Amino acid sequence: MPTNTINGRSFEVDEEGFFTDRDEWSEDLAKDLAALIGIELDEEHLAPLRFMRQDAAVTGVTPTLRRLQTVGGFDIKSLFALYPGKPAKKMSWLAGLRKPVGCV
Amino acid sequence: MTITEQPVTALPGGAGVRAPIPEGFIMPDFGDRMPGPGSPQTGTSAEGGTTAYTGPRKMAFICSKGNLDMAYPAFIMGNAALGEGIEVHIFFTFWGLDIINTKLNHKLKFTMAGNTAMHMNELGRLRPGWENLSLPQAMGNLPGMTAFATTMMKKQLEELEIPDIPDFLDLMQASGAHMYACKLSFDMAKMIEADLHPGVEGVISAADFVEIAEGAQVIFI
């Protein structure tokens, strides 16, 4: 497994760059990663990430956008606004989770 | 894939400035840093010298069927495309109009009739191999079979946490899908605008849709 290092923090990733061990994640690390994609992680950005980590810790699977809506109570439109382009992938990556595999 | 360091640039759409990527750092392709298939391309076609489409990647779906099982493909693929940052347009025409008709879209049906791929997993418990048997076509014509098959399909979809059709339309709208009703079908069905799902942007002609779909990958369902 390749290892990524940013600002002195290291973590293992798969061949695409997603975390392989979610315990190597921290909020400070997420903030550094977010800077790479032009996002400043404020509380509004962090809320879905925290939910995703809690949910993944229980189910073992990265939650989909639909699950963020139905279980987490997040508004899909706002998630697209917070993480434009590929929201599910950006959030999974910033939450230190594996690439999402669910279809809906 | 390894993404090489690039100069700090501002993202389109008002997003912040991106920090440079450390050397040897592996990160997912979010489609907004490197030129890829989704990026604008300029050029001219080989013959005629007309200018090629230069905008963002688009997918256009034409939904022409009103059966429950035919309503899902565009939503599932379209939803996936939206999640990948691809522009999505859906044109509902002929029986597909039922999908965006709020008086009808909660009661779309699935029928066994004419579907030779009908088999029941449960039959495998009676005898190994029976799960792959094709059910007799005549069964689909028995009274109540369409209602039964519809209930079965809805149950299976629910188990996989797939939203029902009205919910899926809300989800598509929230995710930014552009949806249109076909003018000809709309007039033919004597539909009224009040019955259209609020996510439908307009009742448009085929020619309008052809224009909107410029540069899109078109999928007919």
Side-chain angles (χ1 to χ4, degrees):
Chain A
M1 288 291 176
T3 304
N4 273 350
T5 305
I6 182 164
N7 298 345
R9 298 189 193 87
S10 294
F11 56 98
E12 277 196 2
V13 292
D14 62 15
E15 64 278 4
E16 281 186 88
F18 288 92
F19 281 70
T20 52
D21 180 2
R22 61 173 173 263
D23 293 332
E24 289 184 327
W25 181 91
S26 69
E27 272 190 23
D28 288 336
L29 175 55
K31 279 177 183 159
D32 287 347
L33 294 179
L36 300 181
I37 55 171
I39 289 172
E40 199 185 323
L41 274 196
D42 52 19
E43 278 306 304
E44 214 182 337
H45 281 93
L46 277 166
L49 304 188
R50 290 194 188 116
F51 166 78
M52 288 175 85
R53 288 185 58 80
Q54 279 165 8
D55 191 66
V58 178
T59 64
V61 189
T62 305
T64 59
L65 282 183
R66 167 78 179 158
R67 198 171 163 80
L68 273 141
Q69 183 196 37
T70 54
V71 182
F74 292 95
D75 175 43
I76 296 273
K77 220 173 177 169
S78 328
L79 293 177
F80 269 92
L82 288 169
Y83 296 99
K86 306 190 181 191
K89 279 186 181 160
K90 283 181 177 174
M91 289 193 289
S92 308
W93 181 61
L94 291 176
L97 301 172
R98 286 182 170 274
K99 181 174 157 179
V101 291
C103 274
V104 180
Chain B
M1 98 186 51
T2 310
I3 294 172
T4 49
E5 191 170 331
Q6 290 190 345
V8 176
T9 40
L11 275 174
V17 170
R18 288 172 292 192
I21 296 172
E23 207 177 319
F25 197 89
I26 301 169
M27 66 182 273
D29 177 14
F30 296 117
D32 45 15
R33 191 176 276 266
M34 290 214 312
S39 304
Q41 283 158 6
T42 47
T44 50
S45 62
E47 70 244 36
T50 48
T51 310
Y53 174 74
T54 55
R57 186 173 168 198
K58 281 161 128 181
M59 283 177 92
F61 297 89
I62 299 165
C63 290
S64 69
K65 303 284 198 298
N67 295 9
L68 179 66
D69 52 318
M70 297 305 270
Y72 277 100
F75 286 166
I76 293 174
M77 281 188 280
N79 182 58
L82 289 163
E84 286 296 295
I86 296 166
E87 204 178 299
V88 170
H89 299 268
I90 313 178
F91 187 63
F92 296 90
T93 185
F94 273 79
W95 326 122
L97 208 56
D98 281 10
I99 302 170
I100 47 171
N101 185 335
T102 52
K103 294 262 165 66
L104 297 170
N105 64 6
H106 55 285
K107 49 184 183 187
L108 300 184
K109 293 181 180 68
F110 166 60
T111 181
M112 287 174 61
N115 183 359
T116 54
M118 280 306 302
H119 25 76
M120 280 177 75
N121 209 27
E122 286 81 358
L123 290 179
R125 276 190 247 140
L126 297 176
R127 189 172 189 169
W130 278 14
E131 69 273 17
N132 297 325
L133 279 183
S134 187
L135 296 180
Q137 278 297 295
M139 269 179 76
N141 296 329
L142 298 176
M145 278 314 283
T146 296
F148 171 73
T150 302
T151 308
M152 286 285 289
M153 175 166 282
K154 283 188 168 174
K155 207 180 106 206
Q156 288 168 341
L157 288 163
E158 203 180 312
E159 277 168 16
L160 292 174
E161 295 179 16
I162 309 288
D164 61 19
I165 295 302
D167 272 6
F168 222 145
L169 273 164
D170 295 345
L171 178 66
M172 296 300 285
Q173 183 188 6
S175 305
H178 302 281
M179 300 189 277
Y180 318 92
C182 160
K183 172 103 177 49
L184 177 66
S185 316
F186 186 88
D187 291 344
M188 238 171 83
K190 301 199 166 42
M191 223 187 136
I192 53 169
E193 293 224 7
D195 288 344
L196 284 174
H197 185 275
V200 176
E201 291 176 17
V203 182
I204 65 172
S205 71
D208 293 336
F209 185 72
V210 169
E211 262 183 8
I212 288 168
E214 190 196 357
Q217 293 165 301
V218 181
I219 296 149
F220 184 88
I221 297 162

